[in-house]
Structures are given as structure tokens and as C-alpha cells.
Amino acid sequence: WASDGGARKGMMLRHLLPTQLRSLIGKRGFSTSNDFSHVKGVGIIGAGVAGLQMARTCRNHGFECRVFEKAPDVGGLWRENYHSFGIQVPKLLFEFPDYPADYGDFAPGPEVQRYIQKYAEDFNLLSSVMLNTQVQKITKRSDGKRGWTFTVEKDGKELVQDFDYAVVCTGMYSTTPFLPSYEGSASFKGVILHSSQYLNPKQVEGKNVIVVGGGKSALDVANDATAKAKSVSLVYRNAHWGTPRDIAWLIPFKYVFLSRFGQALVSWYKGAWPSAGSSVKAAHGVLAPVMAPVFRIVEWLFALQLGHKGDYRPSLDVVKDFYGYAQVLDSSFKANVAAGRTKAVRGEVARLAPDGVELASGAAVPCDVLICATGFRKSYGYLPAETVAALDVQTDGLYLYRHVIPPAVADLAFVGSEVATISNIATHGIQAEWLAAALTGRVRLPPPAEMAAEVEGVKAWKRSWMPETASRAGLVLLHQIHYHDRLLQDMALPHRRKGANVLAELLAPYPPRDYAAVVAPRAAPAH
């Protein structure tokens, strides 16, 4: 869709939208203009890597801002998580674009947290952050002006402040831990934890441990628990492909999946990002049958490296599975299973007994500590009911224009909250800059109907091949270069970042530092 389509085109596109969304177009509080001249102050929810970059970007562009963080420190999920958590990519792929990381590859969480704290200190961002402050609700301003009223709780006191614009930066996977409800839990003599509550191996010392889940956190917790536990069993409903850190024990995965050539391979196989060039889309139609056997070879390699065999062999193909359950792994889990330190059991927990777990198969497994690595659930309860209705949250997540703007809600954006890429930290910085460009007039938003129609197109594309998960709406992952290209093109910035080096442009990975100039401070415009 053109970014400057007219009203006539917008009216035509409205007929393509769901009835509920069409009815919201034009209602009170829904802005059809690109006039953000009223925006002087911005309220930001969350002080993780997205919220901090949003605050810095606001300052760079002359906006006043306030960040509200419920925790006692910045960092978001990096501040505290399960024991032994860390980044699953090399540091080259997880650092602020213009602020090089000082930790090593695949760094543990505490080192990442110190790096984030140092970023906040060095850019003097802490003066804009209110810690230990819970956002209770945000509502439309009652003084007739555009914007939002934030009601927050700090130190037992309720505080109220008006802002011209609100940005949600609460992350994709750190809102509300999801803990399943099991029959028999009242009589269970052991302890039930969410994976985020597993903070010390002493919690499982000498215990029979069952970890429920098949994702990265489940494998990490199972691996970690073997050091102290009497026994460890991983109970998983479906097996999921792991991506080796070094494919074929030789090639770092970033060269295969985070270069333009690597993303072309994925696009030829599963389809191009909707805003990608016509040549990439045409190639998909021709090369998809050829790419299928290529990725069967990839699956064979991954299975050999990470022990995917028998019940632990995933049923989905490797690319489709990655878009629901992405995980980059070393060989620790394979080694623990082979050595008998961990038992991998494909099945489901049917009920709890006083001294253990009964699976759906009827098998009984002794258990003293049940750790549920079952993810998180998003909540939009801080927003008014009519705003939540206008967001039109689906069972597979919240679909947004450019993964930032809700077409049917004015003066509200989501940065780093409804998007998942391989280099999330870079994506959040680019999103923040894109939003600031929209607020200052460098990016012209399309008419509402065009934005909504484009959202519908992306939704249809994702649902045509990605597995159904609660986070599908936000998944970009291996298409991240094409997504970043789109944001940079909107801002009239060069999207090819490797200069005159054609081979590097095609074959080298795209790390955050390639976007350093995008997030660098510019002269603040007058508002």
C-alpha cells in the first residue's frame, strides 16, 4: 500500500475490513490526520530495552517523557528471570545499535542486566524513570485535549498525570506468567513453580523435578536442575526444533538466517514479507518446490546435532516450527538425556497425585517440584474497555500497523511489545525512531482504512503458514531484515547498510550496529 493514499482509496479499502473494525473508523478519539503538533509529553510504560530506547529517542527529538516501571530497577525481564537464563544469540546480535556490549557471546542474564543499567546511566535516562511504580490505568483525558491520563501507584500512593501520547513498552514475553491449573493440585504435597520463579538450584536440591514445556526456558531449567536435583524429567506435549549455534558444527547460525541471502532462502520457501520486493515474491512461486528438499537436509543436520529423534522429533517442518517456538541451543540437553541425567517424556500432565504426577498416558512420575515453563499471557486491562475493543485483540495476538500503531486508537503506540525478531534490541530502537519520525512529520501515516487494510493483509499472510500461537501477530523473526527495510524506507533512510560492499550486503549478517546511525541523536525539531 502506498504510504500517502487519498481519502477515496481509503473509503474503498474500508469495505475489505472486518465489520467490527469498520465500525470504529471515524469514532471519537480516532485520528485520521498526521497532525501530532499537540504532542509535547509522552508517557511510557516499561523500562526494559524498549522503554529505555523510547525515552532516549523522545529526548533526542525534543519531547518530554516519563517512564513508569513497576520493578525496583530498569531492565525488564533481564532484571530477574529463571536461574541460568541468558541471551540465546551472540552479543553481536544483542546490543544497543550505537552502544557496544561489553559481555561475551551467549551471555548470562546478570551480565546483560548490568549492560542495560550502564546504558541507562550513561545516557542519563534514569532521571526520566519512576521505579516501583505500577500503572493502574490509562484513560482518555477529561479536559477535552488529545492524549491520556495515567493513574499510577507508588509507595502506596495514587498519582495522576496527563500525557499527550502513550507508548506501551512492556515486551512480548514478560507480562503475566501463565500457570496451568491441574486437577489434584490441592492434595499435591510438593511445590508448583512457574519457570520465572525458579531462581536458585537449592529450590530443587535432592528433589524429583518435573519441568513442563518444550521451549527454550523449559530446556534451560531442566538442564540447570540436573546439578542439584535427584531426578529431572521434561514433560512436553510437542517437540520443537532447536537451531544449533553452529550449523553443521561449522557455520554460525547468524550467517545462514540473518543475512539477506539467508532470509531470501526462507522467503523463497515460505513466502516473502508482505512489503518485500516483487522479485522476492516471484521467486517464492518458482523456488518453493526446490527449497523444500533443501530444508529437509537442514532438518537432518539439526536432528543429528541436537538429538531430535523418536518422540523428540518435531512434527512441523523446521521453518514453520521456528515461527512458533524459536530457540537457539547448544548440545547440553542432548548430552543430559544421553547420560541419563534428564528424562524426556512426550505427553501431558493429566492430574497431580500427592507424591507425583499422572500423565495422560496413565504413567505415574514421582515429583516433589513441578516447574511450569508455560510462558506468559498478555493483559490490556490497564486500558479502557472501549479501547481494548478497538484494538481488536485476536486469539493469536494484537495485530498493528508496522507492529507499532493500532489503526483504530489515537495517540497510542506499542514499541517492543508486539514484535519478536532475532535482534529484538535493535528492532525496538528502530521502532522508537520510526514512531518519533511519525510524531515529528518525517513519516506520513496512511489514512486509517489503508493502515487497517495493510494489517489485514499481514494477518492473512501470517495465518496462511505460521503455526497458531498466542504470539503469532507479533512474529517477524527470520524476516527481520525485510521488516527493518520497511521501517527505514518509511523514514526515507537507506535500508542497505553495508555501503559499497556487495558481498557483505548479500552474505554478512545484519547486526544492530549496522543501524547505529539510525538511532543516533539528531537536532531536536521545534514543536
Side-chain angles (χ1 to χ4, degrees), residues 77 81-86 88 173 178 193-198 209-225 232-235 240 312 325-329 333 371-376:
L77 64 84
N81 210 320
Y82 60 85
H83 190 261
S84 79
F85 81 104
Q88 56 179 320
Y173 305 112
F178 173 67
L193 302 173
H194 186 266
S195 56
S196 60
Q197 297 173 303
Y198 171 68
V209 177
I210 292 180
V211 180
V212 177
K216 179 69 164 55
S217 61
L219 270 62
D220 284 348
V221 170
N223 286 335
D224 191 76
V232 177
S233 296
L234 178 78
V235 176
H240 300 296
Y312 195 53
Y325 314 94
Q327 48 188 342
V328 179
L329 306 174
F333 183 73
I371 303 176
C372 300
T374 43
F376 296 81

Side-chain angles (χ1 to χ4, degrees), residues 113-429:
Q113 171 64 7
R114 286 192 290 273
Y115 166 68
I116 296 170
Q117 289 171 320
K118 192 170 184 294
Y119 175 87
E121 293 166 0
D122 287 354
F123 287 103
N124 193 30
L125 299 175
L126 296 178
S127 60
S128 296
V129 180
M130 287 183 65
L131 300 173
N132 296 302
T133 305
Q134 176 73 53
V135 175
Q136 303 289 353
K137 61 181 178 180
I138 65 173
T139 55
K140 283 293 183 179
R141 292 174 61 160
S142 60
D143 58 5
K145 296 180 180 180
R146 287 174 57 179
W148 301 87
T149 297
F150 279 57
T151 301
V152 305
E153 188 274 326
K154 180 176 176 61
D155 300 329
K157 297 179 180 179
E158 184 176 277
L159 306 174
V160 177
Q161 188 172 356
D162 289 334
F163 293 95
D164 306 311
Y165 204 91
V167 187
V168 180
C169 300
T170 51
M172 276 283 285
Y173 305 112
S174 60
T175 309
T176 305
F178 173 67
L179 199 62
S181 177
Y182 294 115
E183 178 186 341
S185 58
S187 62
F188 180 58
K189 297 178 181 178
V191 176
I192 302 175
L193 302 173
H194 186 266
S195 56
S196 60
Q197 297 173 303
Y198 171 68
L199 305 177
N200 194 313
K202 290 184 178 180
Q203 292 172 274
V204 299
E205 189 168 6
K207 307 290 187 181
N208 293 307
V209 177
I210 292 180
V211 180
V212 177
K216 179 69 164 55
S217 61
L219 270 62
D220 284 348
V221 170
N223 286 335
D224 191 76
T226 58
K228 296 287 185 179
K230 179 180 179 181
S231 69
V232 177
S233 296
L234 178 78
V235 176
Y236 59 95
R237 184 183 303 164
N238 297 298
H240 300 296
W241 290 104
T243 299
R245 293 177 175 179
D246 295 307
I247 297 174
W249 298 277
L250 181 64
I251 307 171
F253 84 94
K254 61 188 178 184
Y255 285 95
V256 177
F257 289 121
L258 285 174
S259 64
R260 289 196 180 275
F261 176 70
Q263 297 208 3
L265 295 178
V266 173
S267 298
W268 295 342
Y269 183 36
K270 290 298 184 182
W273 187 255
S275 63
S278 57
S279 60
V280 180
K281 294 178 180 178
H284 167 62
V286 175
L287 296 175
V290 178
M291 297 310 300
V294 171
F295 279 95
R296 296 296 81 76
I297 296 173
V298 172
E299 291 175 1
W300 175 80
L301 270 173
F302 286 11
L304 187 64
Q305 287 187 253
L306 298 176
H308 288 297
K309 59 184 179 181
D311 285 344
Y312 195 53
R313 176 85 180 194
S315 57
L316 296 177
D317 74 67
V318 66
V319 176
K320 187 173 183 177
D321 188 78
F322 193 89
Y323 273 82
Y325 314 94
Q327 48 188 342
V328 179
L329 306 174
D330 60 15
S331 59
S332 299
F333 183 73
K334 175 185 176 183
N336 284 330
V337 171
R341 291 185 291 268
T342 301
K343 184 177 181 180
V345 181
R346 190 166 192 166
E348 294 185 61
V349 175
R351 62 188 58 83
L352 304 186
D355 299 311
V357 167
E358 183 180 325
L359 303 181
S361 64
V365 184
C367 180
D368 304 305
V369 180
L370 179 66
I371 303 176
C372 300
T374 43
F376 296 81
R377 291 291 184 268
K378 283 185 172 290
S379 172
Y380 305 93
Y382 53 89
L383 292 167
E386 62 270 20
T387 301
V388 176
L391 289 177
D392 192 30
V393 182
Q394 305 283 295
T395 56
D396 56 349
L398 175 56
Y399 287 88
L400 300 169
Y401 177 72
R402 299 290 195 258
H403 289 78
V404 177
I405 300 290
V409 181
D411 303 320
L412 175 68
F414 296 79
V415 168
S417 292
E418 309 295 339
V419 66
T421 64
I422 306 300
S423 298
N424 281 315
I425 194 169
T427 300
H428 300 169

Side-chain angles (χ1 to χ4, degrees), residues 428-505:
H428 300 169
I430 298 169
Q431 282 189 329
E433 186 63 33
W434 181 91
L435 178 59
L439 296 180
T440 56
R442 287 194 298 120
V443 167
R444 299 283 296 177
L445 296 178
E450 280 193 41
M451 287 195 289
E454 180 167 317
V455 169
E456 288 299 308
V458 172
K459 181 193 301 180
W461 177 74
K462 289 188 176 186
R463 289 179 173 177
S464 71
W465 68 275
M466 293 184 190
E468 183 174 2
T469 64
S471 60
R472 177 167 56 186
L475 300 182
V476 175
L477 298 176
L478 301 178
H479 286 84
Q480 76 168 39
I481 294 178
H482 294 156
Y483 171 65
H484 290 168
D485 286 352
R486 178 69 272 175
L487 296 182
L488 267 60
Q489 288 166 342
D490 286 346
M491 292 186 280
L493 295 175
H495 64 282
R496 300 190 185 279
R497 312 296 299 177
K498 302 292 188 181
N501 192 330
V502 177
L503 284 179
E505 186 66 54

